[in-house]
Amino acid sequence: MKKILIFLTLILGSLTFAQGQTLIVGMELAYPPFEMSNEEGRPTGISVDMAYALGEYLGKDIIIEDMAYGGLIPALKTKKIDMIISSMSVTEERKQSVNFSKPYAKSYLAMLVNNKSGIAKASDLNMKGKKVAVKKGTSGHTVAQKYFPNAEILVFDKESAIILEVSQGKVDAFIYDPLTIYKNWERNQDTTTPLLEQFETESQPWAIAYRKGEEDLGAQIDEFITEYKNSGKFNELADKYLGKERAFFKEKNVPFFFD
């Protein structure tokens, strides 16, 4: 009996040690080229490369957990994942639930509008009868309520469904980051127009989210971000995954994520 107990203790101890050497990173693999899956179904993209680099920096194994964007913060709070690296903007509302690292990138919100919507600038959307689509759980939802209170706001779970609605003219505009707007415009040039001009007063900083009370981990993440940035790794990722888009943004004098 004593030998069995000793064996079980060793097994449990090994499991605890293994778990301590592993970090589960939550992200929604639906935002290429930051978070996506390759042809074999494996996670890839800028955020994935960054997550693995962070794991190497911390001496931890990394497991990528794919889940719906709106479920990321609840999963973090209930300890189903250990951190979020999913192009997540820092907002005051989110800061009530989780901690954020120092920003590693910044973005802002742009619009994809239907060509027949009559919308030439952002303020044209703030009218009764106009319909604006947003993705559930994104900062675009909050911003739409603030900047376009007179428009009807429609909330969707899937980006693909929104693009179809805009392309068909069932909604007037889609609010999201400029990279997504640019990519969807490329695929729907006959029916849509990108409005890339920044209509917010401030940009949207992106950061890594972690649980409250885990400030030691947060300090290590901040150190990693500083070192990763200073070594030029963010620019390498941008060139690897976004060379064409970066050149386009520079030509149009549009701010880029890592500028």
Side-chain angles (χ1 to χ4, degrees), residues 29 32 35-45 48-49 52 241:
L29 299 176
E35 302 96 29
M36 56 187 178
S37 300
N38 63 17
E39 293 179 354
E40 291 77 34
R42 296 176 180 173
T44 187
V48 175
D49 285 5
Y52 289 138
Y241 290 100

Side-chain angles (χ1 to χ4, degrees), residues 15-216:
L15 288 173
T16 301
F17 177 78
Q19 290 172 348
Q21 294 301 309
T22 302
L23 289 173
I24 301 176
V25 178
M27 61 179 71
E28 182 183 36
L29 299 176
Y31 181 43
F34 285 88
E35 302 96 29
M36 56 187 178
S37 300
N38 63 17
E39 293 179 354
E40 291 77 34
R42 296 176 180 173
T44 187
I46 293 175
S47 296
V48 175
D49 285 5
M50 185 170 66
Y52 289 138
L54 174 59
E56 184 176 347
Y57 181 85
L58 297 175
K60 306 282 188 180
D61 292 326
I62 295 294
I63 295 175
I64 304 296
E65 187 73 24
D66 180 23
M67 58 181 62
Y69 196 86
L72 287 170
I73 287 180
L76 180 62
K77 293 175 68 176
T78 55
K79 299 187 177 182
K80 294 178 181 177
I81 59 176
D82 297 303
M83 65 180 70
I84 300 168
I85 306 179
S86 196
S87 305
M88 180 169 282
S89 299
V90 179
T91 67
E92 291 302 319
E93 181 180 1
R94 289 172 179 160
K95 286 165 67 175
Q96 300 301 312
S97 300
V98 299
N99 282 345
F100 282 100
S101 69
K102 62 169 55 179
Y104 62 85
K106 60 182 178 181
S107 184
Y108 61 96
L109 294 173
M111 292 183 186
L112 184 71
V113 303
N114 182 272
N115 284 343
K116 297 180 180 179
S117 66
I119 298 172
K121 57 185 183 301
S123 58
D124 295 337
L125 186 58
N126 190 30
M127 298 172 56
K128 289 185 178 180
K130 295 298 183 183
K131 296 181 179 180
V132 54
V134 296
K135 187 177 178 182
K136 183 179 180 180
T138 66
S139 56
H141 188 182
T142 303
V143 168
Q145 293 173 319
K146 176 181 178 181
Y147 283 87
F148 311 109
N150 293 318
E152 180 182 357
I153 299 173
L154 304 175
V155 183
F156 292 79
D157 290 317
K158 297 293 184 180
E159 177 187 321
S160 57
I162 298 176
I163 300 307
L164 184 61
E165 294 285 296
V166 175
S167 181
Q168 293 179 346
K170 295 180 180 179
V171 298
D172 298 293
F174 171 38
I175 299 177
Y176 216 52
D177 71 87
L179 178 61
T180 299
I181 297 302
Y182 167 76
K183 285 181 171 293
N184 282 297
W185 165 72
E186 274 196 317
R187 294 189 286 264
N188 299 275
Q189 295 186 36
D190 292 338
T191 56
T192 66
T193 298
L195 299 183
L196 300 178
E197 294 79 9
Q198 184 174 346
F199 62 85
E200 301 172 89
T201 55
E202 297 180 358
S203 60
Q204 302 277 328
W206 289 0
I208 298 173
Y210 59 96
R211 273 185 295 276
K212 289 186 177 295
E214 297 186 356
E215 281 72 20
D216 288 344

